[in-house]
PDB file of all heavy atoms in Angstrom:
ATOM      1  N   GLY Y  27     -53.303 105.824 -11.235  1.00 83.00           N
ATOM      2  CA  GLY Y  27     -52.715 105.854 -12.557  1.00 83.00           C
ATOM      3  C   GLY Y  27     -51.165 105.849 -12.550  1.00 83.00           C
ATOM      4  O   GLY Y  27     -50.575 105.171 -13.370  1.00 83.00           O
ATOM      5  N   VAL Y  28     -50.566 106.300 -11.500  1.00 80.00           N
ATOM      6  CA  VAL Y  28     -49.075 106.226 -11.390  1.00 80.00           C
ATOM      7  C   VAL Y  28     -48.645 104.884 -11.110  1.00 80.00           C
ATOM      8  O   VAL Y  28     -47.723 104.309 -11.814  1.00 80.00           O
ATOM      9  CB  VAL Y  28     -48.577 107.209 -10.254  1.00 80.00           C
ATOM     10  CG1 VAL Y  28     -47.117 106.844  -9.901  1.00 80.00           C
ATOM     11  CG2 VAL Y  28     -48.721 108.650 -10.602  1.00 80.00           C
ATOM     12  N   PHE Y  29     -49.374 104.076 -10.294  1.00 78.00           N
ATOM     13  CA  PHE Y  29     -48.982 102.718 -10.074  1.00 78.00           C
ATOM     14  C   PHE Y  29     -49.171 101.802 -11.308  1.00 78.00           C
ATOM     15  O   PHE Y  29     -48.353 100.973 -11.643  1.00 78.00           O
ATOM     16  CB  PHE Y  29     -49.843 102.141  -8.890  1.00 78.00           C
ATOM     17  CG  PHE Y  29     -49.270 102.497  -7.561  1.00 78.00           C
ATOM     18  CD1 PHE Y  29     -50.086 103.264  -6.629  1.00 78.00           C
ATOM     19  CD2 PHE Y  29     -48.018 102.086  -7.156  1.00 78.00           C
ATOM     20  CE1 PHE Y  29     -49.664 103.588  -5.490  1.00 78.00           C
ATOM     21  CE2 PHE Y  29     -47.585 102.599  -5.936  1.00 78.00           C
ATOM     22  CZ  PHE Y  29     -48.381 103.309  -5.062  1.00 78.00           C
ATOM     23  N   VAL Y  30     -50.234 102.033 -12.005  1.00 79.00           N
ATOM     24  CA  VAL Y  30     -50.534 101.284 -13.274  1.00 79.00           C
ATOM     25  C   VAL Y  30     -49.450 101.639 -14.298  1.00 79.00           C
ATOM     26  O   VAL Y  30     -48.774 100.737 -14.942  1.00 79.00           O
ATOM     27  CB  VAL Y  30     -51.918 101.533 -13.791  1.00 79.00           C
ATOM     28  CG1 VAL Y  30     -52.069 101.032 -15.234  1.00 79.00           C
ATOM     29  CG2 VAL Y  30     -52.937 100.989 -12.902  1.00 79.00           C
ATOM     30  N   ALA Y  31     -48.976 102.884 -14.330  1.00 78.00           N
ATOM     31  CA  ALA Y  31     -47.937 103.276 -15.305  1.00 78.00           C
ATOM     32  C   ALA Y  31     -46.579 102.557 -14.923  1.00 78.00           C
ATOM     33  O   ALA Y  31     -45.888 102.149 -15.841  1.00 78.00           O
ATOM     34  CB  ALA Y  31     -47.821 104.696 -15.344  1.00 78.00           C
ATOM     35  N   ARG Y  32     -46.281 102.596 -13.644  1.00 76.00           N
ATOM     36  CA  ARG Y  32     -45.048 101.979 -13.246  1.00 76.00           C
ATOM     37  C   ARG Y  32     -45.043 100.447 -13.516  1.00 76.00           C
ATOM     38  O   ARG Y  32     -44.073  99.881 -13.927  1.00 76.00           O
ATOM     39  CB  ARG Y  32     -44.810 102.220 -11.830  1.00 76.00           C
ATOM     40  CG  ARG Y  32     -44.247 103.648 -11.554  1.00 76.00           C
ATOM     41  CD  ARG Y  32     -43.890 103.853 -10.080  1.00 76.00           C
ATOM     42  NE  ARG Y  32     -43.409 105.204  -9.914  1.00 76.00           N
ATOM     43  CZ  ARG Y  32     -43.058 105.683  -8.771  1.00 76.00           C
ATOM     44  NH1 ARG Y  32     -43.113 104.843  -7.697  1.00 76.00           N
ATOM     45  NH2 ARG Y  32     -42.657 106.869  -8.647  1.00 76.00           N
ATOM     46  N   TRP Y  33     -46.189  99.808 -13.298  1.00 74.00           N
ATOM     47  CA  TRP Y  33     -46.305  98.459 -13.438  1.00 74.00           C
ATOM     48  C   TRP Y  33     -46.131  98.104 -14.996  1.00 74.00           C
ATOM     49  O   TRP Y  33     -45.528  97.052 -15.320  1.00 74.00           O
ATOM     50  CB  TRP Y  33     -47.680  97.951 -12.914  1.00 74.00           C
ATOM     51  CG  TRP Y  33     -47.913  96.556 -13.232  1.00 74.00           C
ATOM     52  CD1 TRP Y  33     -47.368  95.396 -12.516  1.00 74.00           C
ATOM     53  CD2 TRP Y  33     -48.807  95.899 -14.227  1.00 74.00           C
ATOM     54  NE1 TRP Y  33     -47.826  94.270 -13.098  1.00 74.00           N
ATOM     55  CE2 TRP Y  33     -48.686  94.624 -14.061  1.00 74.00           C
ATOM     56  CE3 TRP Y  33     -49.664  96.504 -15.199  1.00 74.00           C
ATOM     57  CZ2 TRP Y  33     -49.366  93.734 -14.932  1.00 74.00           C
ATOM     58  CZ3 TRP Y  33     -50.226  95.648 -16.076  1.00 74.00           C
ATOM     59  CH2 TRP Y  33     -50.165  94.344 -15.898  1.00 74.00           C
ATOM     60  N   ALA Y  34     -46.683  98.927 -15.786  1.00 73.00           N
ATOM     61  CA  ALA Y  34     -46.654  98.709 -17.300  1.00 73.00           C
ATOM     62  C   ALA Y  34     -45.206  99.206 -17.797  1.00 73.00           C
ATOM     63  O   ALA Y  34     -44.977  99.017 -19.013  1.00 73.00           O
ATOM     64  CB  ALA Y  34     -47.760  99.491 -17.922  1.00 73.00           C
ATOM     65  N   GLY Y  35     -44.348  99.666 -17.053  1.00 68.00           N
ATOM     66  CA  GLY Y  35     -42.934 100.175 -17.461  1.00 68.00           C
ATOM     67  C   GLY Y  35     -43.077 101.504 -18.099  1.00 68.00           C
ATOM     68  O   GLY Y  35     -42.242 101.805 -19.004  1.00 68.00           O
ATOM     69  N   LEU Y  36     -44.020 102.281 -17.867  1.00 67.00           N
ATOM     70  CA  LEU Y  36     -44.083 103.644 -18.398  1.00 67.00           C
ATOM     71  C   LEU Y  36     -43.584 104.783 -17.571  1.00 67.00           C
ATOM     72  O   LEU Y  36     -43.892 105.892 -17.799  1.00 67.00           O
ATOM     73  CB  LEU Y  36     -45.605 103.904 -18.799  1.00 67.00           C
ATOM     74  CG  LEU Y  36     -46.246 102.852 -19.774  1.00 67.00           C
ATOM     75  CD1 LEU Y  36     -47.767 103.236 -19.923  1.00 67.00           C
ATOM     76  CD2 LEU Y  36     -45.564 102.884 -21.046  1.00 67.00           C
ATOM     77  N   ASP Y  37     -42.744 104.498 -16.530  1.00 59.00           N
ATOM     78  CA  ASP Y  37     -42.207 105.410 -15.659  1.00 59.00           C
ATOM     79  C   ASP Y  37     -40.954 106.178 -16.040  1.00 59.00           C
ATOM     80  O   ASP Y  37     -40.321 106.746 -15.268  1.00 59.00           O
ATOM     81  CB  ASP Y  37     -42.069 104.810 -14.187  1.00 59.00           C
ATOM     82  CG  ASP Y  37     -41.086 103.695 -14.249  1.00 59.00           C
ATOM     83  OD1 ASP Y  37     -40.758 103.231 -15.377  1.00 59.00           O
ATOM     84  OD2 ASP Y  37     -40.654 103.266 -13.165  1.00 59.00           O
ATOM     85  N   GLY Y  38     -40.534 106.071 -17.220  1.00 61.00           N
ATOM     86  CA  GLY Y  38     -39.396 106.712 -17.807  1.00 61.00           C
ATOM     87  C   GLY Y  38     -38.242 105.714 -17.895  1.00 61.00           C
ATOM     88  O   GLY Y  38     -37.351 106.038 -18.654  1.00 61.00           O
ATOM     89  N   ALA Y  39     -38.203 104.714 -17.152  1.00 58.00           N
ATOM     90  CA  ALA Y  39     -37.144 103.745 -17.311  1.00 58.00           C
ATOM     91  C   ALA Y  39     -37.436 102.819 -18.501  1.00 58.00           C
ATOM     92  O   ALA Y  39     -38.667 102.597 -18.835  1.00 58.00           O
ATOM     93  CB  ALA Y  39     -37.131 102.857 -15.981  1.00 58.00           C
ATOM     94  N   PRO Y  40     -36.434 102.269 -19.083  1.00 55.00           N
ATOM     95  CA  PRO Y  40     -36.668 101.321 -20.152  1.00 55.00           C
ATOM     96  C   PRO Y  40     -37.524 100.107 -19.785  1.00 55.00           C
ATOM     97  O   PRO Y  40     -37.229  99.604 -18.739  1.00 55.00           O
ATOM     98  CB  PRO Y  40     -35.237 100.960 -20.675  1.00 55.00           C
ATOM     99  CG  PRO Y  40     -34.320 101.418 -19.576  1.00 55.00           C
ATOM    100  CD  PRO Y  40     -34.978 102.409 -18.839  1.00 55.00           C
ATOM    101  N   ALA Y  41     -38.456  99.728 -20.488  1.00 51.00           N
ATOM    102  CA  ALA Y  41     -39.254  98.642 -20.174  1.00 51.00           C
ATOM    103  C   ALA Y  41     -38.478  97.301 -20.447  1.00 51.00           C
ATOM    104  O   ALA Y  41     -37.575  97.377 -21.208  1.00 51.00           O
ATOM    105  CB  ALA Y  41     -40.579  98.629 -20.998  1.00 51.00           C
ATOM    106  N   ALA Y  42     -38.983  96.211 -19.826  1.00 53.00           N
ATOM    107  CA  ALA Y  42     -38.304  94.957 -19.949  1.00 53.00           C
ATOM    108  C   ALA Y  42     -38.342  94.461 -21.433  1.00 53.00           C
ATOM    109  O   ALA Y  42     -37.487  93.691 -21.841  1.00 53.00           O
ATOM    110  CB  ALA Y  42     -38.931  93.858 -19.097  1.00 53.00           C
ATOM    111  N   ALA Y  43     -39.320  94.951 -22.314  1.00 55.00           N
ATOM    112  CA  ALA Y  43     -39.353  94.445 -23.574  1.00 55.00           C
ATOM    113  C   ALA Y  43     -38.237  94.989 -24.431  1.00 55.00           C
ATOM    114  O   ALA Y  43     -38.013  94.486 -25.465  1.00 55.00           O
ATOM    115  CB  ALA Y  43     -40.729  94.836 -24.128  1.00 55.00           C
ATOM    116  N   THR Y  44     -37.656  96.077 -24.045  1.00 57.00           N
ATOM    117  CA  THR Y  44     -36.542  96.751 -24.837  1.00 57.00           C
ATOM    118  C   THR Y  44     -35.208  96.054 -24.496  1.00 57.00           C
ATOM    119  O   THR Y  44     -34.172  96.316 -25.160  1.00 57.00           O
ATOM    120  CB  THR Y  44     -36.474  98.239 -24.548  1.00 57.00           C
ATOM    121  OG1 THR Y  44     -36.158  98.375 -23.179  1.00 57.00           O
ATOM    122  CG2 THR Y  44     -37.739  98.907 -24.996  1.00 57.00           C
ATOM    123  N   GLU Y  45     -35.113  95.294 -23.446  1.00 69.00           N
ATOM    124  CA  GLU Y  45     -33.888  94.598 -23.080  1.00 69.00           C
ATOM    125  C   GLU Y  45     -33.568  93.384 -24.084  1.00 69.00           C
ATOM    126  O   GLU Y  45     -34.521  92.892 -24.732  1.00 69.00           O
ATOM    127  CB  GLU Y  45     -33.964  93.971 -21.739  1.00 69.00           C
ATOM    128  CG  GLU Y  45     -33.927  95.116 -20.566  1.00 69.00           C
ATOM    129  CD  GLU Y  45     -34.125  94.434 -19.229  1.00 69.00           C
ATOM    130  OE1 GLU Y  45     -34.178  93.143 -19.056  1.00 69.00           O
ATOM    131  OE2 GLU Y  45     -34.080  95.209 -18.227  1.00 69.00           O
ATOM    132  N   GLU Y  46     -32.283  92.945 -24.031  1.00 79.00           N
ATOM    133  CA  GLU Y  46     -31.958  91.824 -24.939  1.00 79.00           C
ATOM    134  C   GLU Y  46     -32.618  90.643 -24.318  1.00 79.00           C
ATOM    135  O   GLU Y  46     -32.693  90.487 -23.110  1.00 79.00           O
ATOM    136  CB  GLU Y  46     -30.497  91.658 -24.958  1.00 79.00           C
ATOM    137  CG  GLU Y  46     -29.993  90.561 -25.822  1.00 79.00           C
ATOM    138  CD  GLU Y  46     -28.471  90.444 -25.762  1.00 79.00           C
ATOM    139  OE1 GLU Y  46     -27.831  91.328 -25.279  1.00 79.00           O
ATOM    140  OE2 GLU Y  46     -27.973  89.323 -25.973  1.00 79.00           O
ATOM    141  N   PRO Y  47     -33.292  89.801 -25.150  1.00 85.00           N
ATOM    142  CA  PRO Y  47     -33.975  88.595 -24.531  1.00 85.00           C
ATOM    143  C   PRO Y  47     -32.984  87.658 -23.896  1.00 85.00           C
ATOM    144  O   PRO Y  47     -31.822  87.555 -24.163  1.00 85.00           O
ATOM    145  CB  PRO Y  47     -34.615  87.838 -25.724  1.00 85.00           C
ATOM    146  CG  PRO Y  47     -33.946  88.429 -26.984  1.00 85.00           C
ATOM    147  CD  PRO Y  47     -33.378  89.740 -26.567  1.00 85.00           C
ATOM    148  N   LEU Y  48     -33.428  86.943 -22.796  1.00 86.00           N
ATOM    149  CA  LEU Y  48     -32.691  85.956 -22.095  1.00 86.00           C
ATOM    150  C   LEU Y  48     -32.442  84.801 -22.873  1.00 86.00           C
ATOM    151  O   LEU Y  48     -33.246  84.191 -23.429  1.00 86.00           O
ATOM    152  CB  LEU Y  48     -33.433  85.576 -20.735  1.00 86.00           C
ATOM    153  CG  LEU Y  48     -32.731  84.636 -19.841  1.00 86.00           C
ATOM    154  CD1 LEU Y  48     -31.423  85.289 -19.345  1.00 86.00           C
ATOM    155  CD2 LEU Y  48     -33.597  84.163 -18.726  1.00 86.00           C
ATOM    156  N   THR Y  49     -31.091  84.377 -23.016  1.00 89.00           N
ATOM    157  CA  THR Y  49     -30.749  83.272 -23.849  1.00 89.00           C
ATOM    158  C   THR Y  49     -29.817  82.452 -22.956  1.00 89.00           C
ATOM    159  O   THR Y  49     -28.930  82.835 -22.220  1.00 89.00           O
ATOM    160  CB  THR Y  49     -29.894  83.768 -25.105  1.00 89.00           C
ATOM    161  OG1 THR Y  49     -30.739  84.660 -25.805  1.00 89.00           O
ATOM    162  CG2 THR Y  49     -29.550  82.576 -25.915  1.00 89.00           C
ATOM    163  N   LEU Y  50     -30.208  81.064 -22.947  1.00 89.00           N
ATOM    164  CA  LEU Y  50     -29.372  80.160 -22.244  1.00 89.00           C
ATOM    165  C   LEU Y  50     -28.811  79.092 -23.243  1.00 89.00           C
ATOM    166  O   LEU Y  50     -29.525  78.478 -24.015  1.00 89.00           O
ATOM    167  CB  LEU Y  50     -30.295  79.317 -21.200  1.00 89.00           C
ATOM    168  CG  LEU Y  50     -29.740  78.151 -20.478  1.00 89.00           C
ATOM    169  CD1 LEU Y  50     -28.571  78.562 -19.590  1.00 89.00           C
ATOM    170  CD2 LEU Y  50     -30.682  77.464 -19.675  1.00 89.00           C
TER     171      LEU Y  50
END
Side-chain angles (χ1 to χ4, degrees):
V28 168
F29 281 120
V30 168
R32 284 188 179 173
W33 176 77
L36 303 175
D37 60 347
T44 61
E45 293 179 358
E46 183 182 343
L48 179 65
T49 304
L50 173 63

